[in-house]
């Protein structure tokens, strides 16, 4: 946050909050102070000394003195700025790109489709989630798509492949698509899509 310990000690924490989040933070924190819950956890914006907005996950519990009176709070602040900005940038790109971005499980079922799907094919995103891509491909091109999935799912490395095939739009017309397919793996190296 760019503040020294000396600049922070004795200052109310709301001095460091984004001005538009002070009331919201108060409302989220109040049930803890009122004893209605045992901890408080939420994401909120703070502002660094240089004015940079930081997205912070707050976790706080009450501290009590010997007389069982509230003496303060203790907790942690986890900086989510990088992942929040990355998620927002991804959403911005995904929502506005003219190309189609999809994710499929290893069987070819669509688990994500960018909003551009509607412009490109006439389908709404929810029309396609859970549908198998092979059912939307021209019968003569289904083997090409199946081969891609087999190669990707059996690859031990991250692997990329490009294919061309005909995709059926909502109006039943077929349009040529060129696809870059890439293997997705989990932390253990297992192919997930």
């Amino acid at each position: 946050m760019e503040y020294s310990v000396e600049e922070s000690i004795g200052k109310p924490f709301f001095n460091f909050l984004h001005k538009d989040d002070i009331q919201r933070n108060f409302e989220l924190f109040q049930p803890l102070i009122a004893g209605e819950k045992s901890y408080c956890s939420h994401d909120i914006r703070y502002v660094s000394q240089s004015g940079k907005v930081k997205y912070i996950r707050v976790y706080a519990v009450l501290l009590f003195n010997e007389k069982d009176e509230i003496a303060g709070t203790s907790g942690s602040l986890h900086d989510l700025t990088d992942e929040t900005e990355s998620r927002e940038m991804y959403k911005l790109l995904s929502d506005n790109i003219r190309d189609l971005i999809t994710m499929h499980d290893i069987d070819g079922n669509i688990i994500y489709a960018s909003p551009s799907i509607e412009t490109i094919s006439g389908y709404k995103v929810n029309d396609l989630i859970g549908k198998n891509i092979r059912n939307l491909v021209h019968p003569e091109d289904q083997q090409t798509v199946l081969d891609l999935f087999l190669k990707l799912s059996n690859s031990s490395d991250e692997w990329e492949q490009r294919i061309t095939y005909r995709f059926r739009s909502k109006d039943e017309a077929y349009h040529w698509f060129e696809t870059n397919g890439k293997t997705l793996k989990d932390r253990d190296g297992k192919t997930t899509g």
Side-chain angles (χ1 to χ4, degrees):
M1 296 295 297
E2 304 165 351
Y3 292 97
S4 67
V5 173
E6 293 77 25
E7 292 172 308
S8 305
I9 297 295
K11 301 281 187 341
F13 71 88
F14 56 80
N15 285 7
F16 304 98
L17 291 174
H18 188 284
K19 65 181 176 67
D20 295 340
D21 287 358
I22 293 172
Q23 181 62 34
R24 178 174 169 264
N25 191 79
F26 176 77
E27 292 166 1
L28 292 168
F29 201 70
Q30 193 56 38
L32 176 66
I33 301 299
E36 297 169 7
K37 58 184 186 177
S38 60
Y39 69 91
C40 181
S41 181
H42 56 269
D43 297 348
I44 201 110
R45 293 175 295 179
Y46 277 66
V47 180
S48 72
Q49 190 171 36
S50 66
K52 181 171 170 53
V53 173
K54 299 280 192 170
Y55 296 87
I56 304 292
R57 176 158 297 142
V58 174
Y59 176 82
V61 295
L62 293 176
L63 296 175
F64 297 91
N65 64 19
E66 306 82 34
K67 297 178 184 176
D68 210 26
E69 300 167 327
I70 297 174
T73 61
S74 178
S76 62
L77 303 176
H78 179 75
D79 189 350
L80 303 172
T81 304
D82 289 343
E83 66 185 76
T84 300
E85 289 175 350
S86 293
R87 188 170 48 246
E88 288 176 357
M89 182 59 72
Y90 176 78
K91 181 167 176 24
L92 176 68
L93 290 171
S94 177
D95 288 352
N96 293 291
I97 195 166
R98 297 181 63 89
D99 289 338
L100 175 60
I101 299 170
T102 60
M103 290 175 58
H104 310 264
D105 63 19
I106 58 174
D107 296 319
N109 299 310
I110 300 169
I111 57 176
Y112 172 83
S114 61
S116 60
I117 189 69
E118 189 168 357
T119 303
I120 293 170
S121 71
Y123 292 107
K124 294 195 178 299
V125 170
N126 289 336
D127 294 340
L128 295 179
I129 301 300
K131 301 280 191 296
N132 194 291
I133 186 68
R134 291 184 300 253
N135 296 332
L136 299 166
V137 172
H138 191 281
E140 293 174 11
D141 300 330
Q142 287 181 0
Q143 190 62 48
T144 301
V145 173
L146 178 60
D147 289 347
L148 172 67
F149 276 95
L150 290 172
K151 286 177 186 174
L152 292 172
S153 63
N154 292 325
S155 174
S156 59
D157 301 318
E158 283 194 6
W159 189 72
E160 193 168 328
Q161 176 74 32
R162 181 180 304 220
I163 62 170
T164 303
Y165 59 94
R166 289 164 283 185
F167 183 87
R168 187 181 71 235
S169 62
K170 190 168 185 173
D171 66 5
E172 301 293 322
Y174 283 97
H175 303 277
W176 283 99
F177 274 29
E178 180 179 71
T179 294
N180 294 322
K182 183 175 188 222
T183 306
L184 299 176
K185 296 189 177 290
D186 64 16
R187 291 182 181 174
D188 298 323
K190 180 181 176 190
T191 299
T192 58

